[in-house]
Amino acid sequence: MNSPPSLMHGWLMHSERPSDSTAARKPEAGRLPFQPALDGLRGLSVLGILLFHSDIRWASGGFLGVSTFFTLSGFLITSLFLVEYEQSARIDLRSFWIRRFRRLMPASLIALAAIALFGATVATPEQLVRLRGDILWALAYLGNWRFVFSETAYAQLFSAPSPVLHFWSLGIEEQLYLTFPIAVAVGLWLASGSRAALAGMIGGLVLASLGVTAVLWRAEVAIDRIYYGTDTRAAELLIGALLALWLQGRALAEVGGRFVRAIGATALLVMLVLWGTLSLESSLLYRGGLSAYALLSSAVIAAAVQSAGPVRAVLSGRVIRWLGRISYGVYLFHWPVYLWLTPERTGLGDVPLFALRVAISLSIAGASYQWLEAPIRTRRSLVGQRVYIAAAAAIAAVALAALALPVDSNEDIIEFAIPAEFDRAQPDDASEHDPPSLHRAAPRVAMFGDSTALQLYSGLGGWLAETKGVEARMGWMRSGCGVAREGTYTFRRGERHAPKICRNRNREWEHRLDEAQADIAVVFVGPWDVSDRKLPGDDHWRKPGDPVLDDYLRSEMLAAVDVLSSRGALVVWLTQPSIEIHEKHGGGLPATPFPASDPARMRRFNELIAELGALRPGRVRIVDLADYMRSLPGGEMDPSYRRDGVHFGKKSAYRVTSDWLGPEILRVYRDEAARH
């Protein structure tokens, strides 16, 4: 869900600043009065995102800054349209789109060009798998649908991060900037400028967006479809538009003004609490919670544009306003900077690394604003048709750079570079689509499982790339997809249903096996499967050790073995070390451990894994990773291996693989081959 969120840009609609006065000025024709606290709200929101993307434990909900930008965008563009319509009885859509183009496109193109350079120089093989397509979709401002169609989980941004993942929100905003102004213009024209009629139309659109969200939630689709969808996230922008219809041009009575200021201050405090307590996995968000949060953002916005009050005072500070002024560039550039300055590359601890990342991100964003964004937006440079010629050339250059990235033509398979000399010579006529074989000189290894498999593969894949006589192929790994596919299960303090993509596991695994032609299918699952589970048609919550659930888990394991071995691959199933689930994303351990953290549950789950060898002889071999972890000096819960108590880090995954796991996988494969 490393997020990675993404950002938006409610930052673009403020008018020019004649001074830093905190007093609102009367708008000129077609412009809004400058509201310094709105710059401050932008700055606060992008700060939340910087903290969230740094995996700060007390900022696990910082991604909600994206929602605030959505709502602020809706408020500002609707306010602008209302002012323009009152002055000229029309809305100049062409001028609006040109202004948005000049404001947003230059920095976006520079960021994408930098990301293409990132891909050509320092990107990992995992990042390169889809980077070409990610950049091209981002160029078209359709990145959010790219991640929907490719089933990319935003919650995986810390484990499988794309340098373009944060462009999803820019795609949503641009799609709404294209369609929403048309709806407003048509609505005002049909209603002869009636705000009440326009409010009714926009309110209907809010309900439609909430209805789509409800339908998707009830259909148990992956929550990322709700998180990334333009239709499901539109409500947040539209709620800001409703606020503009109520507030724009309205002179609040003193009593009403005090009420708005008080509600806004309370809403700001609640927002900050949510930033520290919610996480991407919070089911409440996907059942209307994001729209409810937009109401909090609206209350803060309403208080920020008052002539006085605590919200306006807090958000009008010089530093927070400066951060808001450059927030668009901060959002664009910070994520690739974060992925470039990794702990492994810098050798820095959490605090100095955060300081370095933020310092470089702010420096780049400040330079971009000063010498690129502001001159083009204010027409001090690239005036007339030259801006479009330059933009077309820049778009073409970025597209060509993306197409030139060194990725495999099949984006679903990672091909690691293997030395020419193998331990045993590979036959000259070996085909890329040879069927799996227990006698291949260079066996192909693919991994299957949940997010723990994805993290472990970050080390295993690197080790395979360096090892003679073996090939690495990308298997199928999805957060939230354990071996059990049905029923309701607990997660921390909530209940969840397996996403549809998990329930379609057999089809997905078969497809990936056909593509990868793997000889060894490594399976690593467990944390989701040791939770309390209520099976379909069963009213009882059960845990591993319950005969009913054990029978179900055993049948699911056997079904998984049957699918993976159906193409001739040897299934190597890893036991799962005990886990300690933390309070929330990036948080510490709870005062009372979550039930899934009970070591007895994982021991029973591993006992079921151990039975597979006898139940499917010759098709599956068990590699006891849990026992190996217990043999280490720090034991299986040594935090230097799994800082969050569940997932291996990239360094520790490589260490475990190179020290023992990788050779052990190859040993059992060759041992099985010798038997045949």
Side-chain angles (χ1 to χ4, degrees), residues 94-172:
R94 180 176 179 274
S95 294
F96 171 80
W97 287 324
I98 289 174
R99 290 195 301 272
R100 298 292 67 72
F101 177 84
R102 297 183 70 95
R103 174 66 183 94
L104 301 176
M105 183 61 77
S108 177
L109 288 173
I110 294 296
L112 289 173
I115 290 170
L117 179 62
F118 174 98
T121 55
V122 299
T124 66
E126 291 88 350
Q127 289 166 336
L128 280 173
V129 170
R130 299 181 184 273
L131 187 54
R132 173 189 295 175
D134 290 350
I135 293 176
L136 294 177
W137 281 69
L139 267 178
Y141 285 107
L142 294 171
N144 59 314
W145 293 110
R146 159 72 167 179
F147 299 124
V148 168
F149 298 147
S150 64
E151 297 163 352
T152 300
Y154 193 65
Q156 292 178 4
L157 84 163
F158 297 113
S159 58
S162 166
V164 193
L165 186 55
H166 61 315
F167 270 74
W168 71 267
S169 60
L170 305 182
I172 288 178

Side-chain angles (χ1 to χ4, degrees), residues 62-308:
F63 62 90
L64 289 169
V66 173
S67 179
T68 297
F69 272 113
F70 283 151
T71 304
L72 183 56
S73 290
F75 170 76
L76 289 170
I77 64 173
T78 305
S79 297
L80 181 68
F81 291 150
L82 292 175
V83 169
E84 184 178 3
Y85 191 86
E86 289 172 357
Q87 293 175 347
S88 61
R90 63 186 293 269
I91 294 176
D92 189 344
L93 295 178
R94 180 176 179 274
S95 294
F96 171 80
W97 287 324
I98 289 174
R99 290 195 301 272
R100 298 292 67 72
F101 177 84
R102 297 183 70 95
R103 174 66 183 94
L104 301 176
M105 183 61 77
S108 177
L109 288 173
I110 294 296
L112 289 173
I115 290 170
L117 179 62
F118 174 98
T121 55
V122 299
T124 66
E126 291 88 350
Q127 289 166 336
L128 280 173
V129 170
R130 299 181 184 273
L131 187 54
R132 173 189 295 175
D134 290 350
I135 293 176
L136 294 177
W137 281 69
L139 267 178
Y141 285 107
L142 294 171
N144 59 314
W145 293 110
R146 159 72 167 179
F147 299 124
V148 168
F149 298 147
S150 64
E151 297 163 352
T152 300
Y154 193 65
Q156 292 178 4
L157 84 163
F158 297 113
S159 58
S162 166
V164 193
L165 186 55
H166 61 315
F167 270 74
W168 71 267
S169 60
L170 305 182
I172 288 178
E173 287 233 353
E174 284 306 305
Q175 292 157 38
L176 292 174
Y177 284 161
L178 180 64
T179 56
F180 179 66
I182 297 175
V184 172
V186 172
L188 287 172
W189 177 68
L190 291 176
S192 300
S194 169
R195 289 195 182 188
L198 182 59
M201 181 195 76
I202 294 176
L205 293 175
V206 171
L207 293 177
S209 178
L210 290 172
V212 172
T213 300
V215 169
L216 292 173
W217 177 260
R218 289 179 63 86
E220 299 179 8
V221 301
I223 58 176
D224 302 289
R225 167 61 180 86
I226 298 174
Y227 191 83
Y228 287 131
T230 306
D231 48 359
T232 50
R233 302 303 297 266
E236 296 152 69
L237 183 142
L238 296 170
I239 287 171
L242 290 175
L243 174 66
L245 287 169
W246 174 70
L247 196 59
Q248 175 59 37
R250 181 186 295 271
L252 295 178
E254 183 58 29
V255 174
R258 286 202 298 268
F259 177 77
V260 168
R261 292 193 288 270
I263 291 296
T266 303
L268 181 59
L269 290 175
V270 173
M271 282 173 55
L272 294 177
V273 169
L274 294 178
W275 286 12
T277 56
L278 288 181
S279 70
L280 282 167
E281 297 90 356
S282 301
S283 62
L284 178 65
L285 294 172
Y286 309 102
R287 294 183 288 169
L290 288 168
S291 296
Y293 175 85
L295 296 177
L296 293 175
S297 297
S298 295
V300 174
I301 293 168
V305 298
Q306 300 303 304
S307 58

